[in-house]
Amino acid sequence: MEQTLHSPEASQDTLKSMPMAKLETHLKSSPDGLTQAEAARRLAADGPNEIPEKKTNALLKFLSYFWGPIPWMIEVAVILSGVVRHWPDFFIILLLLVANATIGFWEERQAGNAIEALKAKLATKARVKRDGKWVTPPARELVAGDVIRLRLGDIVPADARLLDGDEVSVDQSALTGESLPTSRKSGEAVFSGSIVRRGEIGALVYATGGKTYFGKTAELVETAVTVSHFQKAVLKIGDYLIMLAVALVVVIIAVSLYRGNPILTTLQFALVLTVAAIPVAMPTVLSVTMAVGARLLAKKQAIVSKLVAIEELAGVDVLCADKTGTLTQNKLTLGDPFCLDKATPDDVVLAGALASREENDDTIDLAVLGGLKNKDALKPYKVTHFQPFDPVHKRTEATVTGADGKSFKVTKGAPQVILDLAAPTPAAKAAVTKAVDDFAARGFRALGVARAEGDGKWTLLGVLPLFDPPRVDAKATVETARKMGVTIKMVTGDALAIARETASTLGMGANILDGATLGDAKTNETPAVARSIEQADGFAQVFPEHKFHIVDVLQKHGHIVGMTGDGVNDAPALKKADCGIAVSGATDAARAAASIVLTTPGLSVIIDAIKESRKIFQRMNSYAMYRIAETLRVLIFMTLAILIFNFYPLTAVMIVMLALLNDGAILSIAYDNVHYRNAPEAWNMRLVLGIATVLGCVGPIAAFGLFYLGDRVFHIDRSHLQTMMYLMLSVAGHLTIFQTRTRGPWWSIRPARILLIAVFGTQTVATLIAVYGAGLVAPLGWGWALVVWGYALAWFLATDPVKLLAYWVLDPATKKPVKPSPKPAAGAIAQPA
């Protein structure tokens, strides 16, 4: 039997559309349902009606943070420290290694579990016919072939086909993005996770668990895995430093063996050189920079659940915005009525309102009542009888007594039904039909309204249009995003007409693609279709797999994609996107899948978040340049000193102190003053590595200049010369940050006070250690310390023009005049790749 139920030819799309009699035969069921014994057999064969979940071992996840180029480098340093018994180095480097892993693991742990949130949205109980009786087992025990009963307010527990009965209204907004409830008749399919808004009917289950539309959505969330551009950049930096370090270590080991140096001495040197080559604190500093940025974004009502999303948001150039509830208010609203003859707009709205009931909590009734300009307009009237909407008559009707004591009737409903009821003149009928068509072309839903005096004939008053209006700030947000280099594309489950009207209102363009023409997550689009997706202003009538596919195609064509959404249907695309943004009021599933969660309505907060993220990117870019330059400075200087002079210019303790003081203070760059620019950011590794290499090569020239003066001119002994070189590398190293933090001259952007305090605070400590020794180094004295400071400052001033020249050569944008930003806090610093 299992082979029959799950045969390849019986796909879920086939089961959704095959004739009911054939489906009952296929499922070996009937409107009387299954026996309990048969249901138990199917449950054992097919598994429970829940989303399958892949569990990840927390320990293995934590250990994965010790795997990768930079962790490998740090681990080599730890091993070498232990081999040569440099225990202070061993414990300090091990501490940094564990700290990096712990921070990364904790970030991901805090991000939440999207699958758990999706599971929580499923109904927990279901009314099922077993052995001819209605029972309420847990929804997870449903199987294909079960007959269930759906009533007002129920969450549909599995994909099912409706049995005989009146049509029902189903809200599928969380699954498909459609803003309005849809009608479903006997034989039609309803999907797991949708909500019954009107009516009651039986249904035959044809798909459960992971085979439902809901389950496919969860599966997409599971498969949506992206490596952030931040992670790629860190890997590239790691690869660059690894190749350089390996090459220099090989050269020096070969020279050491040729010179006949002891193996232990060679290992000791390898340790010193490895420690010098490894930016051990780089992942930590960059994570802290993003964490500080996350706190700043939180103040702007944007909660960051995955820190790398900050760097991704800075580079977003395409933002796929869910229409319903994001660009629009997700609130059905009354438009300007179409009126016939002597009826005024107020007359039409009043009649429609009298034919509505607030206590029914019906979205259409509430929209019509909300259209009353005078909230007390209904007080003079008394409704003596009310006939609610039913699928047969397709209208509501009320008998009303006015203030004058006269009785009349009002009705509202489907325009065609009201036209047939009122039988207006051919001219009036043509006018109403044209108005309804015009409303439909704009994506509006239309309601006909009529009135009858006493028991007299019905008179058609007009037509009420209903629509989901854009948010007040949406148009301005779209325009601001465009000026910042971000293209917003609308994505909605609504009809093409609704999407076009909304996009037109917001000034987004009218090139809207039909989702039915797009492939799913497993489709490889032709270049022409991929190009049409890139050029489209929006997408209508899309399902979850379409949203996922749209993001995937845009990413494959070089775009960094942001995706906003609020429903279960958005969860796969939110996770797949480079930066998924759950908007205010989003479902738990959307929040868990997203990287950023907004706590205030609308998109305007995203603009603030983009500006802040671009500032954070500038800080990270500055630090990456600084860290690479410093690594090169120390690595090249030490290598050449050992090869040429057979002299260790720094001790291992000095190198550890350099790392601790420099990287400890540089954490303050997370608070530095920076300028963002009105264009998406990206890691331009050619520029980052190029500028860093130039600065990293100038540094050793300055260091050897001081080494020559100390050794050959002033004849300082080797131990004191080591202290002098330590202070030189420490002071000159920290001055480098003032060069890497600006594209222009070092004084072009005022440093933050905390950065100045941190830099000069740590250099005061380094100077005191060099002057007095503190049992760690040979004491240098104040005279030589001041000489080192003066020498370092002179080289700092001389190096800045070299940096400007390097930018001019490596970055074509530098040669173009830069337009001033409209605000003091806006400007140009980093150039995208």
Side-chain angles (χ1 to χ4, degrees):
M1 181 184 68
E2 289 86 335
Q3 291 179 345
T4 305
L5 291 180
H6 303 298
S7 58
E9 62 272 10
S11 68
Q12 302 311 308
D13 286 338
T14 304
L15 297 177
K16 185 175 73 173
S17 57
M18 71 167 54
M20 285 297 290
K22 187 176 178 182
L23 178 66
E24 289 173 8
T25 303
H26 175 78
L27 296 175
K28 297 188 177 180
S29 184
S30 73
D32 292 326
L34 303 173
T35 64
Q36 186 62 43
E38 176 62 21
R41 276 196 296 273
R42 295 190 183 190
L43 183 63
D46 297 345
N49 176 38
E50 59 188 11
I51 299 167
E53 178 185 359
K54 295 178 181 176
K55 292 280 188 182
T56 303
N57 184 285
L59 178 60
L60 292 178
K61 187 66 182 174
F62 176 70
L63 293 177
S64 70
Y65 286 92
F66 294 91
W67 188 260
I70 288 182
W72 292 338
M73 294 171 74
I74 300 173
E75 285 153 16
V76 168
V78 172
I79 293 168
L80 288 173
S81 299
V83 169
V84 297
R85 302 190 178 187
H86 281 195
W87 300 118
D89 301 354
F90 177 87
F91 288 111
I92 289 169
I93 298 169
L94 183 62
L95 180 63
L96 287 169
L97 177 67
V98 174
N100 289 339
T102 303
I103 289 174
F105 175 75
W106 182 250
E107 288 165 21
E108 193 157 327
R109 192 78 170 170
Q110 292 292 89
N113 190 318
I115 300 302
E116 281 296 324
L118 285 167
K119 288 174 69 175
K121 298 298 289 184
L122 287 172
T124 54
K125 294 281 186 181
R127 280 178 289 279
V128 189
K129 203 171 192 179
R130 298 266 175 85
D131 294 321
K133 297 178 182 177
W134 289 101
V135 292
T136 55
R140 70 185 304 276
E141 295 179 9
L142 283 182
V143 295
D146 265 330
V147 170
I148 57 176
R149 191 70 180 170
L150 302 174
R151 297 188 293 193
L152 174 68
D154 283 354
I155 298 176
V156 179
D159 286 3
R161 297 277 296 277
L162 299 181
L163 298 171
D164 290 339
D166 294 337
E167 72 176 36
V168 293
S169 179
V170 180
D171 179 357
Q172 300 183 143
S173 61
L175 288 170
T176 65
E178 296 171 287
S179 57
L180 300 173
T182 57
S183 297
R184 287 287 180 264
K185 301 174 184 176
S186 295
E188 293 185 335
V190 290
F191 302 130
S192 171
S194 53
I195 302 169
V196 179
R197 292 298 187 194
R198 184 188 289 134
E200 181 175 345
I201 196 169
L204 177 64
V205 173
Y206 69 84
T208 60
K211 303 179 187 68
T212 63
Y213 263 108
F214 197 97
K216 289 178 183 177
T217 300
E219 185 181 338
L220 285 176
V221 173
E222 282 276 13
T223 58
V225 178
T226 55
V227 179
S228 77
H229 295 82
F230 165 72
Q231 291 165 320
K232 291 176 183 175
V234 171
L235 288 175
K236 284 183 180 178
I237 293 169
D239 291 343
Y240 179 73
L241 296 177
I242 283 173
M243 289 187 291
L244 189 64
V246 167
L248 293 178
V249 166
V250 167
V251 169
I252 294 176
I253 288 176
V255 171
S256 295
L257 293 175
Y258 174 76
R259 288 173 176 171
N261 293 341
I263 294 297
L264 190 60
T265 304
T266 303
L267 279 178
Q268 183 182 24
F269 163 72
L271 162 67
V272 174
L273 196 61
T274 306
V275 172
I278 301 171
V280 286
M282 186 172 76
T284 305
V285 172
L286 293 178
S287 294
V288 169
T289 303
M290 289 190 287
V292 170
R295 287 198 291 273
L296 292 172
L297 289 178
K299 293 178 181 177
K300 297 180 182 293
Q301 309 304 311
I303 309 302
V304 179
S305 60
K306 298 178 181 72
L307 286 188
V308 291
I310 293 173
E311 182 262 351
E312 299 290 6
L313 185 59
V316 165
D317 65 324
V318 176
L319 180 63
C320 295
D322 184 52
K323 180 189 80 71
T324 306
T326 304
L327 293 169
T328 65
Q329 298 176 21
N330 195 19
K331 179 183 177 184
L332 208 56
T333 303
L334 197 64
D336 296 327
F338 169 79
C339 307
L340 276 176
D341 300 330
K342 297 180 182 179
T344 66
D346 289 344
D347 293 337
V348 180
V349 175
L350 177 62
L354 288 168
S356 305
R357 213 167 230 182
E358 188 174 6
E359 56 266 32
N360 282 356
D361 201 29
D362 181 88
T363 52
I364 293 175
D365 283 7
L366 292 176
V368 174
L369 289 165
L372 288 169
K373 294 178 181 176
N374 180 5
K375 302 306 176 186
D376 297 327
L378 300 181
K379 283 188 177 179
Y381 302 96
K382 182 179 180 182
V383 178
T384 56
H385 180 263
F386 185 83
Q387 178 184 316
F389 180 92
D390 68 78
V392 178
H393 298 97
K394 296 184 184 296
R395 66 186 179 91
T396 61
E397 182 182 316
T399 303
V400 185
T401 302
D404 56 5
K406 292 182 180 179
S407 179
F408 63 93
K409 292 187 290 186
V410 287
T411 186
K412 75 174 192 316
Q416 194 57 49
V417 170
I418 303 300
L419 278 172
D420 293 342
L421 183 70
T425 62
K429 185 173 183 178
V432 169
T433 302
K434 182 178 183 304
V436 171
D437 290 343
D438 289 344
F439 285 141
R442 295 171 59 192
F444 290 6
R445 174 179 286 194
L447 288 176
V449 179
R451 172 172 171 150
E453 303 298 333
D455 292 324
K457 291 184 177 180
W458 289 98
T459 301
L460 189 62
L461 298 179
V463 181
L464 295 174
L466 298 169
F467 70 108
D468 181 13
R471 290 189 178 277
V472 177
D473 61 349
K475 187 171 184 178
T477 301
V478 169
E479 181 58 29
T480 303
R482 187 178 291 120
K483 290 178 181 176
M484 295 180 69
V486 180
T487 301
I488 296 184
K489 296 181 185 292
M490 178 192 297
V491 183
T492 178
D494 277 333
L496 272 168
I498 296 175
R500 285 201 178 104
E501 173 67 17
T502 304
S504 176
T505 304
L506 296 176
M508 297 176 66
N511 182 18
I512 308 296
L513 294 186
D514 185 346
T517 65
L518 303 176
D520 58 22
K522 298 173 184 174
T523 304
N524 288 321
E525 296 289 15
T526 63
V529 174
R531 200 159 44 249
S532 71
I533 291 174
E534 277 192 284
Q535 296 170 352
D537 298 312
F539 309 88
Q541 299 177 161
V542 296
F543 280 86
E545 58 267 29
H546 297 140
K547 296 183 181 185
F548 186 95
H549 183 56
I550 289 165
V551 172
D552 188 41
V553 169
L554 290 170
Q555 286 175 330
K556 285 177 179 175
H557 285 76
H559 295 282
I560 298 182
V561 184
M563 171 78 193
T564 74
D566 60 353
V568 175
N569 62 308
D570 300 316
L574 286 173
K575 190 172 182 187
K576 173 65 177 170
D578 296 293
C579 185
I581 304 166
V583 297
S584 175
T587 60
D588 290 343
R591 286 171 180 258
S595 305
I596 296 177
V597 179
L598 306 183
T599 58
T600 55
L603 281 176
S604 59
V605 67
I606 293 179
I607 300 301
D608 290 335
I610 289 174
K611 291 176 182 176
E612 196 61 51
S613 68
R614 289 181 182 177
K615 290 181 183 180
I616 295 161
F617 182 90
Q618 300 294 354
R619 298 179 183 118
M620 293 166 60
N621 199 63
S622 299
Y623 172 75
M625 282 186 187
Y626 158 79
R627 185 62 268 171
I628 298 167
E630 277 312 283
T631 300
L632 291 177
R633 182 197 303 267
V634 175
L635 197 60
I636 294 173
F637 173 62
M638 289 191 61
T639 302
L640 293 179
I642 294 167
L643 287 178
I644 298 171
F645 300 103
N646 197 19
F647 168 63
Y648 288 85
L650 296 180
T651 65
V653 170
M654 290 176 179
I655 290 178
V656 171
M657 286 194 301
L658 271 179
L660 288 177
L661 289 176
N662 284 18
D663 281 328
I666 213 64
L667 286 172
S668 61
I669 200 172
Y671 302 91
D672 192 22
N673 296 326
V674 290
H675 295 169
Y676 71 85
R677 71 191 200 103
N678 285 325
E681 301 284 12
W683 285 98
N684 185 343
M685 296 312 296
R686 176 176 173 270
L687 189 63
V688 169
L689 295 175
I691 299 297
T693 301
V694 168
L695 294 174
C697 290
V698 171
I701 296 173
F704 274 115
L706 185 64
F707 179 81
Y708 176 82
L709 290 173
D711 186 48
R712 300 298 169 89
V713 177
F714 299 112
H715 304 290
I716 299 173
D717 65 81
R718 290 299 172 97
S719 61
H720 287 89
L721 189 57
Q722 284 179 322
T723 305
M724 179 179 281
M725 299 318 302
Y726 159 71
L727 184 59
M728 169 63 187
L729 291 174
S730 183
V731 173
H734 253 164
L735 290 176
T736 303
I737 189 59
F738 296 109
Q739 292 170 331
T740 61
R741 62 182 292 278
T742 67
R743 286 180 60 117
W746 64 270
W747 65 84
S748 56
I749 302 174
R750 182 176 58 84
R753 182 180 299 176
I754 188 171
L755 179 63
L756 290 171
I757 293 172
V759 168
F760 289 107
T762 53
Q763 291 319 297
T764 299
V765 173
T767 303
L768 291 173
I769 291 173
V771 169
Y772 296 108
L776 300 170
V777 300
L780 195 61
W782 281 107
W784 287 119
L786 291 174
V787 168
V788 172
W789 267 91
Y791 184 86
L793 286 170
W795 267 98
F796 167 74
L797 295 174
T799 305
D800 207 50
V802 176
K803 177 200 73 174
L804 297 177
L805 178 63
Y807 267 115
W808 189 84
V809 171
L810 293 170
D811 185 11
T814 309
K815 302 170 188 177
K816 300 174 184 176
V818 180
K819 294 181 180 179
S821 300
K823 298 179 182 178
I829 291 188
Q831 172 68 18

